[in-house]
Coordinates of all heavy atoms in Angstrom, one line a residue:
K260 N 22.7 -5.8 7.8 CA 23.9 -6.6 7.9 C 23.6 -7.9 8.6 O 24.1 -9.0 8.2 CB 25.0 -5.8 8.5 CG 26.3 -6.6 8.5 CD 27.5 -5.7 9.0 CE 28.8 -6.6 9.1 NZ 29.9 -5.9 9.7
A261 N 22.9 -7.8 9.7 CA 22.6 -9.0 10.5 C 21.6 -9.9 9.9 O 21.7 -11.2 10.1 CB 22.2 -8.6 11.9
F262 N 20.6 -9.4 9.3 CA 19.4 -10.2 8.9 C 19.2 -10.4 7.4 O 18.4 -11.4 7.0 CB 18.1 -9.7 9.5 CG 18.1 -9.8 11.0 CD1 18.3 -8.7 11.8 CD2 18.0 -11.0 11.6 CE1 18.2 -8.8 13.2 CE2 17.9 -11.1 13.0 CZ 18.1 -10.0 13.8
S263 N 19.7 -9.6 6.5 CA 19.4 -9.8 5.1 C 19.6 -11.2 4.6 O 20.7 -11.8 4.9 CB 20.2 -8.8 4.2 OG 19.8 -7.5 4.3
G264 N 18.6 -11.7 3.9 CA 18.7 -13.0 3.4 C 17.5 -13.9 3.6 O 16.5 -13.4 4.1
R265 N 17.6 -15.1 3.3 CA 16.5 -16.1 3.4 C 16.9 -17.0 4.5 O 18.0 -17.5 4.6 CB 16.4 -16.9 2.1 CG 15.3 -17.9 2.1 CD 15.2 -18.5 0.7 NE 14.8 -17.4 -0.1 CZ 13.8 -17.5 -1.0 NH1 13.2 -18.6 -1.2 NH2 13.4 -16.4 -1.7
W266 N 15.9 -17.3 5.4 CA 16.0 -18.1 6.6 C 14.9 -19.2 6.6 O 13.8 -18.9 6.4 CB 15.9 -17.2 7.8 CG 16.9 -16.1 7.9 CD1 16.7 -14.9 7.3 CD2 18.2 -16.1 8.5 NE1 17.8 -14.1 7.5 CE2 18.7 -14.8 8.3 CE3 18.9 -17.0 9.3 CZ2 20.0 -14.4 8.8 CZ3 20.1 -16.6 9.8 CH2 20.6 -15.3 9.5
I267 N 15.3 -20.4 7.0 CA 14.3 -21.5 7.2 C 14.1 -21.5 8.7 O 15.0 -21.5 9.5 CB 14.9 -22.8 6.7 CG1 15.2 -22.8 5.2 CG2 14.0 -24.0 7.0 CD1 14.1 -22.4 4.3
T268 N 12.8 -21.6 9.1 CA 12.4 -21.6 10.5 C 11.9 -22.9 11.0 O 11.1 -23.6 10.3 CB 11.3 -20.5 10.7 OG1 10.2 -20.8 10.0 CG2 11.8 -19.1 10.4
D269 N 12.4 -23.3 12.1 CA 11.9 -24.5 12.9 C 11.2 -23.9 14.1 O 11.9 -23.3 14.9 CB 13.0 -25.4 13.2 CG 12.6 -26.6 14.0 OD1 11.4 -27.1 13.8 OD2 13.4 -27.1 14.8
E270 N 9.9 -24.1 14.3 CA 9.2 -23.4 15.3 C 8.5 -24.3 16.3 O 7.9 -25.3 15.9 CB 8.1 -22.5 14.6 CG 8.6 -21.7 13.5 CD 7.6 -21.0 12.6 OE1 6.4 -21.1 12.9 OE2 8.0 -20.4 11.6
R271 N 8.6 -24.0 17.6 CA 7.9 -24.7 18.6 C 7.0 -23.8 19.4 O 7.4 -22.7 19.9 CB 9.0 -25.3 19.6 CG 8.3 -26.2 20.7 CD 9.2 -26.8 21.7 NE 9.6 -25.8 22.6 CZ 10.8 -25.4 22.9 NH1 11.9 -26.0 22.3 NH2 11.1 -24.5 23.8
Y272 N 5.7 -24.2 19.4 CA 4.7 -23.4 20.1 C 4.2 -24.1 21.4 O 3.9 -25.3 21.3 CB 3.5 -23.2 19.1 CG 3.8 -22.3 18.0 CD1 4.4 -22.9 16.8 CD2 3.6 -21.0 18.0 CE1 4.7 -22.1 15.7 CE2 3.9 -20.2 16.9 CZ 4.5 -20.8 15.8 OH 4.8 -20.0 14.7
E273 N 4.1 -23.3 22.4 CA 3.6 -23.8 23.7 C 2.1 -23.7 23.7 O 1.6 -22.8 23.0 CB 4.2 -23.0 24.9 CG 5.8 -23.0 24.9 CD 6.4 -24.4 24.9 OE1 5.8 -25.3 25.5 OE2 7.5 -24.5 24.4
P274 N 1.4 -24.4 24.5 CA 0.0 -24.3 24.6 C -0.4 -22.8 25.1 O 0.2 -22.3 26.0 CB -0.5 -25.3 25.7 CG 0.6 -26.4 25.6 CD 1.9 -25.6 25.3
G275 N -1.3 -22.2 24.5 CA -1.7 -20.9 24.9 C -1.9 -20.0 23.7 O -1.6 -20.3 22.5
F276 N -2.4 -18.7 23.9 CA -2.6 -17.7 22.9 C -3.3 -18.3 21.7 O -4.4 -18.8 21.8 CB -1.2 -17.0 22.6 CG -1.4 -15.7 21.9 CD1 -2.3 -14.8 22.3 CD2 -0.6 -15.4 20.8 CE1 -2.4 -13.5 21.6 CE2 -0.7 -14.2 20.1 CZ -1.7 -13.3 20.5
L277 N -2.7 -18.3 20.5 CA -3.3 -18.8 19.3 C -3.1 -20.3 19.1 O -3.6 -20.8 18.1 CB -2.8 -18.0 18.0 CG -3.0 -16.5 18.0 CD1 -2.3 -15.9 16.8 CD2 -4.5 -16.3 17.9
T278 N -2.4 -20.9 20.0 CA -2.1 -22.3 19.8 C -2.4 -23.1 21.1 O -1.6 -23.4 21.9 CB -0.6 -22.6 19.5 OG1 0.2 -21.9 20.5 CG2 -0.3 -22.0 18.1
P279 N -3.7 -23.3 21.4 CA -4.1 -23.9 22.7 C -3.5 -25.2 22.9 O -3.4 -25.6 24.1 CB -5.6 -23.9 22.6 CG -6.0 -23.7 21.1 CD -4.8 -23.0 20.5
N280 N -3.2 -26.0 21.9 CA -2.6 -27.3 22.1 C -1.1 -27.3 21.8 O -0.5 -28.4 21.9 CB -3.3 -28.3 21.2 CG -4.7 -28.5 21.5 OD1 -5.1 -28.5 22.6 ND2 -5.5 -28.5 20.4
G281 N -0.5 -26.2 21.6 CA 1.0 -26.2 21.3 C 1.2 -26.8 19.9 O 0.3 -27.0 19.1
G282 N 2.5 -27.2 19.7 CA 2.8 -27.9 18.5 C 4.0 -27.3 17.8 O 4.7 -26.5 18.3
R283 N 4.3 -27.8 16.6 CA 5.5 -27.4 15.8 C 5.0 -26.7 14.5 O 3.9 -26.9 14.0 CB 6.3 -28.6 15.4 CG 6.6 -29.6 16.5 CD 7.8 -29.3 17.3 NE 9.1 -29.0 16.6 CZ 10.2 -28.7 17.2 NH1 10.2 -28.6 18.5 NH2 11.2 -28.4 16.5
G284 N 5.9 -25.9 14.0 CA 5.7 -25.2 12.8 C 7.0 -25.1 12.0 O 8.1 -25.3 12.5
H285 N 6.9 -25.0 10.7 CA 8.0 -24.8 9.8 C 7.7 -23.8 8.7 O 6.6 -23.8 8.2 CB 8.4 -26.2 9.1 CG 8.7 -27.3 10.1 ND1 9.9 -27.4 10.7 CD2 7.9 -28.2 10.6 CE1 9.9 -28.4 11.6 NE2 8.7 -28.9 11.5

Side-chain angles (χ1 to χ4, degrees):
K260 184 177 178 184
F262 292 108
S263 284
R265 178 175 297 226
W266 304 83
I267 299 302
T268 61
D269 178 32
E270 307 168 8
R271 186 180 76 236
Y272 293 86
E273 305 302 330
F276 196 46
L277 296 173
T278 55
N280 299 317
R283 308 275 310 178
H285 300 281

